[in-house]
Amino acid sequence: MQCTRMLRLGKMIPLATVQHITGYNFSSINSIMKPRVRQFCKNVSIKNALKNVGQPRTQNTGMLQRVSHRFTLFKMKYQLIGLGYQLYDNIPDKLDYSIFFKDFAMNDTFFSWFKVTELHVWMLMVRFMAEGDKGKVVVQNIVESMWHDVIIRAEKLGPIPSKIRNKQIMELSHQFNAAIIDYDEGILSDDKTLASALWRTFFNLECNNPEQLEKLLIYVRKQISILDKIPSDKLYRTPVIKWLDLRTIETH
């Protein structure tokens, strides 16, 4: 995989502190984001929706069976959409951002919150891209959920002109696309390549502490390994991710 050049952000406005950013309850925006999708997802079962996926259709399938098959695919699609949103919730709801900020000497800003969130979104993407077409639908909606979250949090950070806010969100989208390519190249290579990707992308070329870089490298490798070991059926049935406690990671 070819690595692209890292897109650096311009001077960022210190939008908020971690208390303001992480204190916002993401679940409260369920009524804003795709209300019909979320309501539908509450009323159907992932297990039942996936049960008939992949079964061959006969040439003499009746109209009723065709309608039933299409409805099953419809249920599966919207369950996968809901699953993507639920999986994203595991990041802002389960992570202790203050530990990342402290251990990696990160500024207490919206940009730092995004860097931590971005890294964990990518790790979920790596796991679900191994799940074929169903996984791609989940990945698409994990990312979509992240951008909903980013926009809503940014709007609640204070009296920032909308033009400036929208420009910075657009810059974050470019940063995100470059980060995914950089991280992908790193995870497919050796520790040296992954460490370089983390230094460029997560630390923004500003980490001069090798222990911090090593700690994040170990954390990412271990977390990816844990996600890889989750069986596919459990992954779709129980969309709850247990993140490693960064404080338990020991460097050599």
Side-chain angles (χ1 to χ4, degrees), residues 87 91 95 100 115-130 139 142-143 146 176 179-180 183-184 187 194 198 202 216-228 230 235 241-244 246:
L87 285 164
I91 300 174
L95 282 182
F100 283 84
K115 300 294 273 187
V116 176
T117 301
E118 172 185 73
L119 179 64
H120 289 80
V121 165
W122 166 72
M123 287 192 283
L124 287 178
M125 292 172 67
V126 170
R127 177 61 185 88
F128 277 90
M129 286 305 290
V139 164
I142 291 173
V143 175
M146 179 191 72
F176 177 77
I180 297 306
Y183 286 151
D184 277 346
I187 201 65
L194 179 56
L198 292 169
F202 186 88
L216 184 59
L217 173 66
I218 295 172
Y219 174 81
V220 170
R221 286 291 189 190
K222 285 188 174 183
Q223 189 65 68
I224 290 288
S225 178
I226 290 173
L227 292 173
D228 283 344
I230 301 176
L235 204 61
I241 303 299
K242 184 177 180 181
W243 302 107
L244 285 171
L246 186 63

Side-chain angles (χ1 to χ4, degrees), residues 56-67:
R57 295 173 56 187
T58 62
Q59 294 181 349
N60 297 324
T61 300
M63 180 178 294
L64 183 60
Q65 289 177 310
R66 290 198 299 270
V67 171

Side-chain angles (χ1 to χ4, degrees), residues 5 26 44 52 63 82 121 129 144 177 184 249:
R5 182 179 178 181
F26 180 75
V44 292
N52 297 322
M63 180 178 294
V121 165
M129 286 305 290
E144 182 176 304
N177 291 335
D184 277 346
I249 303 298

Side-chain angles (χ1 to χ4, degrees), residues 95-244:
L95 282 182
D96 189 338
Y97 286 81
S98 63
I99 296 176
F100 283 84
F101 292 176
K102 179 181 178 181
D103 285 9
F104 298 130
M106 303 174 75
N107 293 327
D108 191 1
T109 64
F110 183 88
F111 187 49
S112 296
W113 172 86
F114 181 78
K115 300 294 273 187
V116 176
T117 301
E118 172 185 73
L119 179 64
H120 289 80
V121 165
W122 166 72
M123 287 192 283
L124 287 178
M125 292 172 67
V126 170
R127 177 61 185 88
F128 277 90
M129 286 305 290
E131 293 293 316
D133 291 338
K134 297 196 299 292
K136 291 178 181 178
V137 176
V138 175
V139 164
Q140 179 182 350
N141 285 279
I142 291 173
V143 175
E144 182 176 304
S145 181
M146 179 191 72
W147 289 120
H148 276 297
D149 193 11
V150 166
I151 292 170
I152 290 175
R153 290 175 189 265
E155 290 175 347
K156 291 181 172 289
L157 292 179
I160 302 172
S162 59
K163 184 176 181 179
I164 295 177
R165 182 174 59 243
N166 293 340
K167 180 181 178 181
Q168 290 192 335
I169 291 175
M170 182 61 67
E171 289 176 339
L172 286 180
S173 72
H174 295 320
Q175 144 74 30
F176 177 77
N177 291 335
I180 297 306
I181 295 173
D182 217 6
Y183 286 151
D184 277 346
E185 182 183 31
I187 201 65
L188 293 172
S189 305
D190 54 18
D191 284 350
K192 182 179 179 180
T193 306
L194 179 56
S196 297
L198 292 169
W199 179 70
R200 286 190 300 271
T201 304
F202 186 88
F203 290 109
N204 213 31
L205 304 174
E206 295 177 354
C207 178
N208 296 318
N209 187 331
E211 290 186 359
Q212 290 179 348
L213 185 56
E214 182 184 10
K215 186 171 188 176
L216 184 59
L217 173 66
I218 295 172
Y219 174 81
V220 170
R221 286 291 189 190
K222 285 188 174 183
Q223 189 65 68
I224 290 288
S225 178
I226 290 173
L227 292 173
D228 283 344
K229 292 177 182 178
I230 301 176
S232 296
D233 58 341
K234 183 178 180 180
L235 204 61
Y236 289 100
R237 185 176 65 250
T238 310
V240 177
I241 303 299
K242 184 177 180 181
W243 302 107
L244 285 171

